[in-house]
Amino acid sequence: MDKLFKAGKCQDIPLGEGRKYLIHGEEIGVFNLGIEIVAISNRCPHAGGPLSDGIVTGHEVICPLHGRKVNLKSGCVANEKEKVKVYEVVLKDGEIYLKC
Amino acid sequence: MQKKSKQKLVVIGNGMAGIAAVENILALKGDLDITVFGAEPYVNYNRILLSDILSGKTHPEATYLNAREWYDKNGIRLFVDTKIMAIHPEVKTVQDDEGRMTPYDQLLIATGSHAFIPPIKGVEKRGVFPYRNMEDTERIIAYSKQCRRVAVIGGGLLGLEAGRALVQRGLNVTIFHLVDRLMELQLDDESGLILKKEIERLGMTVHLNHSAVEMIGEGSVEGVAFSNGKAYEADMVVISTGIRPNVELAKNAGIHTRRGIIVNDQMETSHSGIYAVGECVEHRGKTYGIVAPLYEQAKVAAHTILGKPSKTYEGSMVSATLKVAGIDLVSIGNYMGNGAGCESLVYSDRGISLYKKVVLQGNRVVGAILLGDIHDSGRFHQYIKNQTDVTLFRKTLLSGDADKKSAGPAILEDEDTICGCMGVNKKTIVEAIQEHEVTTRQGVGEKTKACTSCKSCGPLIDQILQEVLGGEYVPVTEKSGEFCPCFTLSRKELVDQIRSLKLKAVSEVLTRLGNGSGCAYCKPGLSYLLSEIWMERHREERNARFINDRVHANIQKDGTFSVVPRIYGGVTSPSELRRIADVAEKYHVPMVKITGGQRIDLLGVKKEELPLIWADLGMPSGHAYAKAIRTVKTCVGTEFCRFGVQDSTSLGIAMEKLFEGLYTPHKIKMAVSGCPRNCAESYVKDIGIVAIQTGWEIYVGGAAGMTVRKGDLLVAVKTDEEAFRAVTLFLQYYREEGYYLERTYDFVVRIGIEKIKQELLDPESARPAELMDHFKLAKEAVVDPWKTESEKPVHPYQFKELVADG
């Protein structure tokens, strides 16, 4: 059964950037796209790069290690078979909750 | 109205050769009733650009040479997706796959060729593709989306192009070639060896002497087995092992064929009223698989069909250009030097992958191979075509300085083909320049399609522009225009707009002038551009910066960071070393390493600990993570060295303090050596200073990384003050004129050292005063990010790892 984890306030994540959260040893990258907050598994399937440190353009984040493009909505990774896990985000009173 | 019915011409084949013949007929004002049958479901497209479609660089529609409207406008009936099944010469009709009979008075066969598939067991498996036409290309693209490893069978021209395109799609590509050198039909042993190295540099694996015997896998291909007993895994296989002329149709009609359909010098087959052009023909025992000959054949065929048999086709000199981005390669004519009285002039430099070979027979050039530098290909083409006697300039034939003028485009005739890919002759280009007032290669390309494919004719087009325009012609470098595909503006227009609209932040520039979102290249690029234009008084947006510039440390493969404190000139002290050692122990730094730039690197630091480490170190940022002034490496100069002639250590330290904290288009490594023995390696730095008896020599644009280059001497000066001034001017000039991510070794080559000297050192030039002003303003705004952000980060959670509550 999925559980909701409280992950701080929206303003904890600067606009257009991502931040890494640790939830039970799991690394989750949470991104502030301005109009919404999205969350994915933080490790790039290519070589384990920390996606929360990547540059965000549109709905994609570019892995800082080797430039793989990861779609923040679908979890699809260009040129990789494996997807990254996408987490559901619930916003309540400016607080971020992650469903996992 | 004239009632006389027109002569009926039927063309079998809607490809480049058949349509080229039709275009020639129209140009000669031939009044024929033309019907074209094409087996493929497309209008006439440029087959040469298939590898660009495969790589994703272009899309199918962009390769269409003749749109539907062209056929309609010229009254040509076009049947696409319609295969001709039989020719009936006795009743002068052709029969298509719907059983329809179409009568002709004259028939042109231009059926092209098909991919040759060697007898390999299991080639029918899913995931095994030939590579020859649009449909193959589209199928390969669709299938490749689920693949990682692709085996390309065949290391010829097309196989290598396919391999490169698939690398660009992110696949792991291995090329398997039957014989012991790549492109054996165009290259000799030495150039084959260099090409192999270059292909490997582009990320492909090459296996020579591999003859495929079986495609392994159940249903879908999973690997390939070879006759030497080896087998390799692959989830897709592309076969490119040559072509065979399509002769069946002609052969079944009783037309004489051998390897191809046999034609005479008028392009007539053995049957009167039936002609053939393109890859399906055999002329004087030769078949051709490249584009230039078919344009020549098409021209002759058009004359013959219209009853003007004045022109004859006497065979083509074969010239092949490898269309692989990153490798320049042309092979022309008798490249092997086989034949009586042939001599080869060869220049080979494996180190920089340069190979030039010219084959002479008597005093005439008969063949050439150019690899790594193809600027001379036009010149050699002309020597061969005009049978120029090269005795007088044989000494400089390979270097090509003395005779360049004598062989300029003026000796080309109007009819001569300039762009082999698109079949554009000199006359067409000259007319485009005169009538449309174009002044650039790109302009010529837009009007004539010349130089829009492999681009090897570019230098020749520049010469024609020069010849037609005279003094009005200004050469434009290829890269100069664009900034990033996210913008329609050129770099210069972008800078002008940013200034006039006073845009201070990346997001403003992207929304006002670009596509809104930007990309991973232009966001950091714009960040730099704005900081440079507004001299560090821009509005910083950290989301546009690469992670290194957000946290002022260099990201490592495991997501940790490295910390390099600034140690001016590489000169440290016991107390500083002790502090570094204490910090390394306190934070359990996994590795402490001396860098190539004489600094100390603390590797494996967690992001959260960066501000703490900076505070404990109490040393300025070494900027090892940034596009900025990195290090000034020094030797001990006159201080201790018995050979030193100047105090290189003091000058290096002073320079590092002066330039510290300034950002640049790409990183800047500097060095100061106390004598020409050059222990600080100044010749191979972005800016290198070498002491001589009378003062200092200043070198710029050196490199010793992926590229190795000795810097160009900017100036020799007498005093330290003059050295500071010269270096400051160069640095600021690079900051203003360099493209983002352009290292000085590219920058200096692009601008030219003579131009740089003129701008910076000419007493008449106004630039130095302006550069000095800008430098001072930028320098005033410099802050040490380690100091400011260990106390007050840009964002409170800049360095924090966040933990969620359950």
Side-chain angles (χ1 to χ4, degrees):
Chain A
M1 188 58 190
D2 286 343
K3 208 179 145 191
L4 281 182
F5 287 86
K6 194 171 164 187
K9 297 189 184 354
C10 291
Q11 58 265 36
D12 292 355
I13 305 169
L15 176 65
E17 292 187 39
R19 284 294 180 268
K20 181 178 80 178
Y21 284 82
L22 266 184
I23 297 180
H24 292 336
E26 199 75 26
E27 285 189 15
I28 298 176
V30 183
F31 296 82
N32 180 353
L33 303 182
I35 44 169
E36 60 186 320
I37 303 278
V38 292
I40 56 171
S41 164
N42 200 42
R43 290 285 163 192
C44 178
H46 168 238
L51 296 173
S52 56
D53 283 342
I55 291 179
V56 175
T57 65
H59 287 119
E60 286 176 331
V61 62
I62 316 311
C63 177
L65 294 193
H66 308 99
R68 288 290 190 282
K69 271 189 200 167
V70 181
N71 189 305
L72 293 165
K73 297 291 194 87
S74 66
C76 286
V77 186
N79 300 327
E80 294 292 331
K81 276 183 186 169
E82 214 179 307
K83 283 185 178 183
V84 296
K85 191 171 173 193
V86 179
Y87 294 90
E88 198 179 316
V89 177
V90 180
L91 290 181
K92 224 161 89 187
D93 305 329
E95 301 272 356
I96 305 168
Y97 293 88
L98 302 177
K99 208 180 233 184
C100 46
Chain B
M1 277 251 271
Q2 207 170 1
K3 264 299 189 195
K4 187 184 153 199
S5 74
K6 290 183 196 172
Q7 283 263 311
K8 293 184 205 61
L9 172 69
V10 168
V11 181
I12 308 176
N14 184 31
M16 294 170 80
I19 297 307
V22 172
E23 284 186 326
N24 273 290
I25 288 169
L26 298 174
L28 291 167
K29 310 231 173 337
D31 192 20
L32 299 174
D33 174 13
I34 302 174
T35 307
V36 176
F37 290 94
E40 292 187 61
Y42 315 94
V43 291
N44 177 32
Y45 62 88
N46 188 346
R47 203 177 289 278
I48 298 167
L49 296 178
L50 286 178
S51 58
D52 287 346
I53 298 176
L54 190 56
S55 71
K57 190 177 145 193
T58 187
H59 53 93
E61 289 72 29
T63 69
Y64 291 165
L65 291 169
N66 303 77
R68 264 283 180 184
E69 297 79 63
W70 175 84
Y71 295 89
D72 296 342
K73 198 184 88 193
N74 290 293
I76 298 164
R77 260 185 310 281
L78 172 66
F79 294 93
V80 294
D81 215 355
T82 305
K83 204 168 169 336
I84 294 297
M85 307 304 285
I87 301 168
H88 304 294
E90 62 289 350
V91 288
K92 291 200 159 194
T93 52
V94 295
Q95 186 174 6
D96 62 35
D97 51 4
E98 287 175 16
R100 195 166 31 204
M101 306 288 272
T102 306
Y104 65 81
D105 296 307
Q106 302 193 87
L107 177 66
L108 178 64
I109 306 175
T111 43
S113 62
H114 61 274
F116 167 68
I117 306 291
I120 303 171
K121 223 174 122 188
V123 279
E124 70 291 342
K125 290 205 163 80
R126 253 173 62 79
V128 181
F129 301 95
Y131 175 51
R132 179 67 198 143
N133 58 31
M134 189 76 87
E135 193 191 343
D136 299 335
T137 310
E138 288 179 337
R139 286 170 61 211
I140 292 171
I141 292 170
Y143 197 81
S144 73
K145 297 204 167 115
Q146 42 172 325
C147 297
R148 266 171 200 249
R149 266 171 310 197
V150 52
V152 176
I153 310 291
L157 209 62
L158 210 55
L160 295 178
E161 288 179 9
R164 171 59 170 163
L166 292 166
V167 166
Q168 285 169 306
R169 286 200 172 261
L171 293 160
N172 281 329
V173 175
T174 308
I175 310 266
F176 297 96
H177 196 49
L178 186 62
V179 297
D180 62 0
R181 71 167 186 269
L182 293 174
M183 285 178 67
E184 77 279 6
L185 296 177
Q186 287 87 18
L187 299 182
D188 58 9
D189 285 343
E190 175 73 9
S191 50
L193 205 74
I194 296 178
L195 178 65
K196 177 169 179 281
K197 206 181 85 186
E198 287 295 284
I199 291 290
E200 287 165 346
R201 182 177 61 82
L202 294 178
M204 286 169 261
T205 308
V206 179
H207 292 297
L208 301 172
N209 297 311
H210 272 62
S211 172
V213 289
E214 187 180 354
M215 299 297 160
I216 310 163
E218 294 185 14
S220 303
V221 70
E222 288 160 27
V224 188
F226 295 87
S227 62
N228 56 12
K230 291 185 181 163
Y232 299 84
E233 286 184 48
D235 33 31
M236 178 164 95
V237 178
V238 174
I239 300 181
S240 174
T241 47
I243 54 169
R244 294 289 181 272
N246 289 325
V247 299
E248 287 307 305
L249 186 63
K251 198 174 169 185
N252 292 340
I255 297 166
H256 290 182
T257 62
R258 271 193 298 259
R259 196 179 149 85
I261 302 167
I262 294 168
V263 293
N264 63 13
D265 290 359
Q266 264 74 44
M267 308 314 292
E268 293 166 321
T269 67
S270 58
H271 282 47
S272 73
I274 303 183
Y275 318 88
V277 289
E279 291 178 347
C280 62
V281 310
E282 176 176 331
H283 173 259
R284 297 191 186 180
K286 275 189 182 168
T287 58
Y288 297 93
I290 52 175
V291 72
L294 67 85
Y295 283 116
E296 295 169 32
Q297 294 173 358
K299 192 168 287 178
V300 174
H303 280 83
T304 309
I305 288 168
L306 294 175
K308 304 174 179 175
S310 54
K311 275 207 175 265
T312 56
Y313 178 68
E314 290 166 1
S316 295
M317 176 180 60
V318 177
S319 166
T321 306
L322 181 66
K323 246 172 54 53
V324 164
I327 300 180
D328 292 327
L329 171 60
V330 177
S331 164
I332 313 168
N334 182 356
Y335 64 96
M336 279 304 271
N338 297 331
C342 280
E343 293 174 86
S344 298
L345 318 185
V346 174
Y347 179 85
S348 178
D349 186 339
R350 290 187 192 180
I352 56 167
S353 296
L354 179 69
Y355 185 78
K356 290 183 174 191
K357 172 179 180 178
V358 176
V359 178
L360 297 180
Q361 195 166 25
N363 302 321
R364 313 265 189 264
V365 178
V366 294
I369 298 173
L370 298 172
L371 174 56
D373 175 7
I374 56 169
H375 281 92
D376 286 325
S377 61
R379 194 161 59 92
F380 293 134
H381 268 292
Q382 290 163 45
Y383 294 153
I384 297 175
K385 193 173 159 47
N386 302 324
Q387 301 191 6
T388 311
D389 185 335
V390 298
T391 314
L392 288 177
F393 47 87
R394 182 165 163 169
K395 250 192 223 172
T396 55
L397 199 57
L398 280 179
S399 60
D401 291 329
D403 57 311
K404 230 167 223 163
K405 279 217 175 69
S406 67
I411 62 170
L412 281 173
E413 291 164 35
D414 280 355
E415 299 287 291
D416 284 344
T417 302
I418 302 296
C419 173
C421 299
M422 300 294 178
V424 183
N425 64 22
K426 185 186 169 190
K427 191 173 161 213
T428 312
I429 293 173
V430 170
E431 283 171 0
I433 297 170
Q434 289 167 339
E435 284 168 28
H436 302 289
E437 299 178 352
V438 296
T439 57
T440 61
R441 265 189 217 182
Q442 286 81 354
V444 170
E446 279 161 27
K447 295 293 171 207
T448 67
K449 288 182 185 164
C451 200
T452 51
S453 183
C454 82
K455 305 206 168 155
S456 63
C457 62
L460 217 49
I461 291 180
D462 287 349
Q463 287 179 40
I464 296 173
L465 281 162
Q466 173 91 66
E467 178 190 313
V468 178
L469 298 173
E472 291 168 53
Y473 172 64
V474 186
V476 185
T477 54
E478 224 165 344
K479 264 177 78 184
S480 68
E482 57 211 51
F483 176 73
C484 176
C486 297
F487 291 84
T488 52
L489 301 173
S490 71
R491 183 182 183 276
K492 195 184 167 302
E493 290 165 335
L494 188 63
V495 170
D496 292 345
Q497 289 284 312
I498 289 172
R499 283 189 203 281
S500 70
L501 297 171
K502 299 203 170 28
L503 304 179
K504 297 268 172 98
V506 173
S507 58
E508 283 175 7
V509 179
L510 282 168
T511 39
R512 297 282 299 270
L513 305 173
N515 66 358
S517 64
C519 69
Y521 167 77
C522 70
K523 286 179 82 175
L526 285 171
S527 301
Y528 172 73
L529 197 62
L530 288 170
S531 76
E532 194 278 308
I533 290 173
W534 303 116
M535 287 172 275
E536 307 300 326
R537 290 150 182 90
H538 60 289
R539 199 163 78 245
E540 176 72 16
E541 285 177 339
R542 280 291 148 90
N543 69 52
R545 297 280 193 183
F546 187 58
I547 183 67
N548 287 9
D549 292 298
R550 292 184 194 168
V551 300
H552 319 294
N554 201 348
I555 193 164
Q556 305 295 314
K557 62 179 281 189
D558 58 354
T560 64
F561 292 85
S562 86
V563 171
V564 182
R566 191 165 289 279
I567 299 178
Y568 299 98
V571 178
T572 179
S573 66
S575 68
E576 207 169 57
L577 288 172
R578 200 168 286 124
R579 226 176 320 142
I580 294 171
D582 288 344
V583 164
E585 281 187 349
K586 179 176 173 189
Y587 294 95
H588 307 286
V589 173
M591 185 189 256
V592 181
K593 183 161 185 334
I594 310 288
T595 72
Q598 300 180 334
R599 303 301 137 103
I600 293 173
D601 197 350
L602 306 175
L603 292 137
V605 176
K606 294 191 192 73
K607 196 201 277 176
E608 306 84 88
E609 292 176 342
L610 289 170
L612 307 172
I613 288 186
W614 299 334
D616 283 2
L617 280 171
M619 294 167 76
S621 163
H623 287 93
Y625 49 84
K627 314 294 176 217
I629 305 296
R630 292 274 177 96
T631 53
V632 182
K633 190 172 181 174
T634 67
C635 67
V636 291
T638 46
E639 197 84 341
F640 285 95
C641 180
R642 63 200 165 97
F643 297 114
V645 296
Q646 305 284 350
D647 184 358
S648 51
T649 325
S650 298
L651 187 76
I653 291 172
M655 288 242 172
E656 190 158 346
K657 287 189 170 158
L658 180 62
F659 302 131
E660 169 185 19
L662 284 171
Y663 293 95
T664 40
H666 208 310
K667 62 188 169 195
I668 287 273
K669 296 179 179 181
M670 294 178 61
V672 186
S673 296
C675 80
R677 284 175 191 75
N678 206 12
C679 293
E681 299 160 347
S682 302
Y683 291 143
V684 289
K685 297 294 182 211
D686 295 287
I687 300 176
I689 301 166
V690 182
I692 49 174
Q693 283 294 345
T694 52
W696 303 100
E697 283 181 343
I698 292 159
Y699 291 85
V700 294
M706 200 151 65
T707 298
V708 179
R709 180 176 194 272
K710 187 184 173 189
D712 295 319
L713 180 63
L714 176 68
V715 63
V717 297
K718 291 204 175 65
T719 66
D720 289 6
E721 285 64 40
E722 289 173 282
F724 279 120
R725 181 178 160 82
V727 172
T728 307
L729 288 174
F730 175 77
L731 193 68
Q732 186 61 26
Y733 186 60
Y734 171 58
R735 279 166 41 80
E736 293 182 16
E737 302 291 332
Y739 302 148
Y740 184 66
L741 296 188
E742 180 182 41
R743 285 292 297 269
T744 59
Y745 54 80
D746 285 327
F747 172 74
V748 168
V749 171
R750 173 169 64 85
I751 306 279
I753 187 68
E754 291 309 319
K755 168 92 194 292
I756 296 174
K757 283 183 189 173
Q758 194 191 338
E759 289 266 318
L760 305 185
L761 307 170
D762 189 337
E764 303 282 291
S765 168
R767 198 73 196 263
E770 184 188 301
L771 290 170
M772 277 301 190
D773 286 347
H774 293 173
F775 172 78
K776 279 181 198 138
L777 279 164
K779 180 69 193 173
E780 275 170 21
V782 165
V783 289
D784 180 2
W786 285 10
K787 197 164 179 324
T788 52
E789 288 192 46
S790 60
E791 288 159 10
K792 191 178 180 301
V794 166
H795 187 275
Y797 290 114
Q798 187 71 59
F799 299 97
K800 295 264 189 317
E801 180 165 348
L802 307 173
V803 184
D805 313 324

